Amino acid sequence: MIKDRMAGAPISWGVCEVPGWGHQLAPGRVLAEMRDLGLAATEFGPDGFLPRHAAGRAAVLDEYGLRPVGGFAPLVLHDPGCDPLPEARRVLSGFAMERGNSPLTLVLAAVHGRDGYDGRPPLDAGGWTALLTNLDRIAALAAESGVRAVLHPHVGTMVETSAEVERVLDGSAIPLCLDTGHLLIGGVDPVELAVRASARIAHVHLKDVDAALADDVHTGRTTYTDAVRTGVYRPLGAGDIDIPGIIGSLEDAGYDGWYVLEQDTVIDHEPAPGAGPLTDVRSCVDYLAGIAS
């Protein structure tokens, strides 16, 4: 059932690896609110949000009754002079916990090495060769630990646009994280991709999106950070993405992975109890429960 495969992500509570992103809520509050919403699991969040050692992470998640999904890993993959495997090994060391029947997922983003997602350098042929090669190298490394690596096309990274997603599909074997919001902002139709490339989709970040704000980011009229602050991500069912269509296509194709509720947000202060990002995530949970019934 989809209800048993709904997971949370700390970024939905404004917890982000980007310096200066906004007020950062404490892990205890975020995890307690996930639990109280009935979410089954969570991604790990940025480096340092949970203990770095696997046993410590497992203990914290057990305290809140949450299963581990895996986590986001922003790595520089396109620099021929920089080997990303040592950092990938360090990240994977925090994944070595009891996994049951569900493998953990290493969600890779091909970052440029600067802070934030409001711009990126061009990528030349040598950079593409390094990136595609490193994707397959890290996927193989993760598999040795029983972890599944996926690539997350992401605004402000080296894989953002439709042409770049196609280049990854054609030039590597790594599965994708279908992030409905980042794909739309990058000019990719997530509904079409969910149908056409269902065999390559191994992880899902569900976002709904204000399409007009998404176009402002795509065309450079506003930055990604400003769009997030303005509300480019909407609670599921309140934006312009066909969420039921995407889920229906994936389920028909046999997708059995997680649906991570991940609406990037920025908060400026500590919300009152029962308020803040919790309200939007609750709307997402209720929406998914409604379309799954």
Side-chain angles (χ1 to χ4, degrees), residues 107 150-153 165 175-184 188-198 200-207 241-243 245-247 249-250 255 258-260 262:
V107 184
V150 299
L151 175 69
H152 181 341
V165 171
L176 293 183
C177 168
L178 183 87
D179 185 300
T180 55
H182 281 279
L183 287 167
L184 185 70
V188 182
D189 180 350
V191 178
E192 187 273 337
L193 187 65
V195 173
R196 177 171 55 85
S198 59
R200 290 288 292 274
I201 295 168
H203 197 59
V204 175
H205 286 172
L206 283 181
K207 294 177 170 72
I241 292 181
D242 181 7
I243 299 296
I246 289 170
I247 292 175
S249 295
L250 292 173
Y255 178 76
W258 292 103
Y259 291 102
V260 181
E262 204 213 41

Side-chain angles (χ1 to χ4, degrees), residues 21-250:
W21 182 259
H23 177 70
Q24 300 295 286
L25 293 174
R29 175 166 184 174
V30 173
L31 298 176
E33 291 186 353
M34 287 185 187
R35 174 199 62 203
D36 295 345
L37 287 170
L39 294 173
T42 182
E43 289 191 359
F44 294 141
D47 197 23
F49 178 71
L50 294 178
R52 287 189 172 91
H53 296 293
R57 286 183 175 182
V60 170
L61 294 182
D62 285 347
E63 179 182 351
Y64 292 94
L66 295 168
R67 294 169 59 191
V69 170
F72 182 70
L75 299 179
V76 175
L77 304 176
H78 67 283
D79 184 349
C82 177
D83 185 359
L85 260 62
E87 179 63 9
R89 288 191 183 94
R90 186 195 69 77
V91 173
L92 285 166
S93 69
F95 282 51
M97 58 177 63
E98 180 60 41
R99 292 183 292 273
N101 295 322
S102 299
L104 297 185
T105 302
L106 177 69
V107 184
L108 295 169
V111 296
H112 41 65
R114 309 168 189 170
D115 289 336
Y117 301 109
D118 290 337
R120 59 184 189 147
L123 189 57
D124 60 18
W128 268 110
T129 297
L131 190 154
L132 295 171
T133 299
N134 283 326
L135 286 173
D136 287 339
R137 291 173 71 214
I138 293 175
L141 177 70
E144 293 174 4
S145 301
V147 174
R148 176 177 51 206
V150 299
L151 175 69
H152 181 341
H154 191 295
V155 175
T157 70
M158 310 313 290
V159 181
E160 172 184 340
T161 68
S162 178
E164 290 157 0
V165 171
E166 291 306 311
R167 195 156 183 176
V168 168
L169 289 172
D170 292 340
S172 78
I174 196 167
L176 293 183
C177 168
L178 183 87
D179 185 300
T180 55
H182 281 279
L183 287 167
L184 185 70
I185 294 172
V188 182
D189 180 350
V191 178
E192 187 273 337
L193 187 65
V195 173
R196 177 171 55 85
S198 59
R200 290 288 292 274
I201 295 168
H203 197 59
V204 175
H205 286 172
L206 283 181
K207 294 177 170 72
D208 213 339
V209 174
D210 180 318
L213 278 173
D215 188 62
D216 285 346
V217 178
H218 183 64
T219 56
R221 291 191 294 269
T222 191
T223 67
Y224 178 70
T225 303
D226 285 345
V228 173
R229 283 188 175 276
T230 306
V232 65
Y233 297 125
R234 309 296 302 138
L236 300 183
D240 297 305
I241 292 181
D242 181 7
I243 299 296
I246 289 170
I247 292 175
S249 295
L250 292 173

